[in-house]
Amino acid sequence: GNAGDVLEDDPVGKLKVFIYEMPRKYNHYLLEKDNRCLYHMFAAEIFMHQFLLASAVRTMNPEEADWFYTPVYVTCDLTQQGFPLPFRAPRIMRSAIQYIAATWPYWNRTEGADHFFLAPHDFGACFHYQEERAIERGILPLLRRATLVQTFGQRNHVCMQEGSITIPPYANPQKMQAHLISPGTPRSIFAYFRGLFYDMGNDPEGGYYARGARASVWENFKDNPLFDMSSEHPSTYYEDMQRAIFCLCPLGWAPWSPRLVEAVVFGCIPVIIADDIVLPFADAIPWEQISVFVAEADVPRLDSILASVAPEDVLRKQRLLASPAMKQAVLFHQPARPGDAFDQVLNGLARKLPHREGAFLKPGQKVLDWNAGLDSDLKPW
């Protein structure tokens, strides 16, 4: 269809973004303290800031801005193992909002309705990697009126508020480029997957991790010759994806993972096993045309479901995946390229203009409760 036309839309001239000048403790100092956050799958938080600083949509005059952006790197506060800490993230974000509200008048006139924030945590602005803890916390109350740009997307979920923009996780474009093989290489692998089937450290009894979907994949198809699967991650991982027809993209702790981006880039048809997932840039990328969706309850029939996809449908999906516009749209390039994920974020913001009725508050009107939230999240940072 005309999906490529939408993906190639140029956002310049459709919106203006004002970037708040924040104290370095909210971004640069966190990055200098631990630069591993430049390389993990949450890194869009940093690269979006770098992109906007040089973007033609940036305005230095806040009075003409359509959107306001607060550069705060909450995913740079890492554990020794390199995972974002969920404990301080709400305090960092809350402190940043307090700062912009006290320093400029723009937050207070809308209480964030014309502001957007990057929230690439596992469960977005619920700021936790365990779903039950994320649900218990909920979205940080001060972000309730803002637009959240987040990797997490799931319909009817506490951590997904209306109007959010779902983005792909960060996957290093240069690293993938270095592993490209000849486009004429036969796709001799029917279905491919590398990753955990069980998380014994966090879910020793099994069944909770990935809602049991990954365990079901393994138990049902570990001996099936059509399925090339392992928990090992070989050095030929990217090359193997380019030799596969279908790449399994099951949920893990959260419904999303970089596997989806890798599948699109390498032309491997994504097999999405994650009920109610909201996919990146779903208003622009024709996921229904390039993927196969399998309900979690149908995993035991996965072999017959994939085998029943008609050859002409496989070819049609592969042709769409081969489109450069499709691949660009899921990648955060450095430097940015036309039509890449940065442009898709801006196009998503532009499509939300003009702001909804009620975005601008009446003088003296207050909507948000600054004292709402968990007691631990209200502590100063």
Side-chain angles (χ1 to χ4, degrees), residues 150-165:
Q150 59 185 49
T151 43
F152 174 74
Q154 184 173 322
R155 289 183 292 275
N156 306 315
H157 197 282
V158 167
C159 301
M160 180 78 181
Q161 66 185 18
E162 186 180 355
S164 298
I165 295 175

Side-chain angles (χ1 to χ4, degrees), residues 226-349:
L226 291 176
F227 286 74
D228 187 337
M229 303 189 302
S230 172
S231 57
E232 302 296 322
H233 206 286
S235 59
T236 57
Y237 173 67
Y238 284 156
E239 288 82 0
D240 292 344
M241 292 187 88
Q242 295 169 78
R243 296 186 180 98
I245 298 172
F246 297 106
C247 286
L248 307 187
C249 300
L251 73 160
W253 284 112
W256 61 272
S257 81
R259 217 170 267 106
L260 184 67
V261 175
E262 296 159 349
V264 170
V265 169
F266 293 130
C268 186
I269 298 170
V271 180
I272 298 168
I273 308 170
D275 295 353
D276 296 322
I277 189 172
V278 177
L279 290 158
F281 309 132
D283 56 349
I285 297 177
W287 291 107
E288 294 283 349
Q289 297 178 42
I290 64 174
S291 308
V292 174
F293 290 81
V294 177
E296 294 166 28
D298 291 336
V299 166
R301 299 192 299 111
L302 182 58
D303 54 348
S304 60
I305 291 172
L306 296 182
S308 68
V309 180
E312 57 268 27
D313 290 337
V314 169
L315 289 172
R316 188 181 301 111
K317 293 177 189 295
Q318 289 174 335
R319 280 197 295 269
L320 283 169
L321 285 167
S323 162
M326 207 72 68
K327 300 178 191 300
Q328 289 281 75
V330 296
L331 292 174
F332 292 95
H333 283 287
Q334 293 85 50
R337 299 180 186 178
D340 67 6
F342 296 115
D343 273 3
Q344 303 308 324
V345 172
L346 294 182
N347 282 327
L349 291 169

Side-chain angles (χ1 to χ4, degrees), residues 77-145:
D77 193 24
L78 303 176
T79 65
Q80 286 186 334
Q81 293 76 29
F83 300 111
L85 280 164
F87 315 109
R88 283 193 290 264
R91 300 181 203 170
I92 297 172
M93 186 65 79
R94 179 181 169 82
S95 174
I97 294 171
Q98 288 173 326
Y99 178 80
I100 63 172
T103 309
W104 290 274
Y106 307 106
W107 171 273
N108 298 311
R109 70 184 187 181
T110 66
E111 289 194 332
D114 55 355
H115 289 55
F116 69 94
F117 292 82
L118 270 287
H121 261 266
D122 291 80
F123 288 93
C126 287
F127 297 122
H128 210 288
Y129 58 88
Q130 293 179 332
E131 185 173 20
E132 58 184 19
R133 297 289 300 279
I135 291 172
E136 176 189 355
R137 171 178 275 156
I139 292 172
L140 187 69
L142 290 184
L143 293 175
R144 284 292 182 186
R145 287 173 58 81

Side-chain angles (χ1 to χ4, degrees), residues 206-224:
Y208 186 66
Y209 176 61
R211 295 197 284 260
R214 291 197 187 198
S216 181
V217 168
W218 177 250
E219 295 300 334
N220 283 283
F221 305 109
K222 60 185 176 184
D223 298 321
N224 188 319

Side-chain angles (χ1 to χ4, degrees), residues 179-230:
H179 287 267
L180 287 176
I181 62 176
S182 169
T185 303
R187 292 191 177 265
S188 55
I189 301 170
F190 183 71
Y192 185 77
F193 178 79
R194 291 294 184 273
L196 290 177
F197 296 98
Y198 304 91
D199 187 345
M200 302 307 294
N202 294 299
D203 183 30
E205 296 181 7
Y208 186 66
Y209 176 61
R211 295 197 284 260
R214 291 197 187 198
S216 181
V217 168
W218 177 250
E219 295 300 334
N220 283 283
F221 305 109
K222 60 185 176 184
D223 298 321
N224 188 319
L226 291 176
F227 286 74
D228 187 337
M229 303 189 302
S230 172

Side-chain angles (χ1 to χ4, degrees), residues 36-48 50 75 118 120 150-151 167-176 238 256-262 280 330-334 341-342:
R36 288 179 298 173
C37 56
L38 280 169
Y39 309 105
H40 62 27
M41 59 185 175
F42 313 103
E45 185 175 60
I46 301 162
F47 294 129
M48 193 74 200
Q50 295 176 355
T75 60
L118 270 287
Q150 59 185 49
T151 43
I167 62 172
Y170 175 74
N172 189 312
Q174 289 77 21
K175 183 178 177 182
M176 287 188 283
Y238 284 156
W256 61 272
S257 81
R259 217 170 267 106
L260 184 67
V261 175
E262 296 159 349
V330 296
L331 292 174
F332 292 95
H333 283 287
Q334 293 85 50
F342 296 115

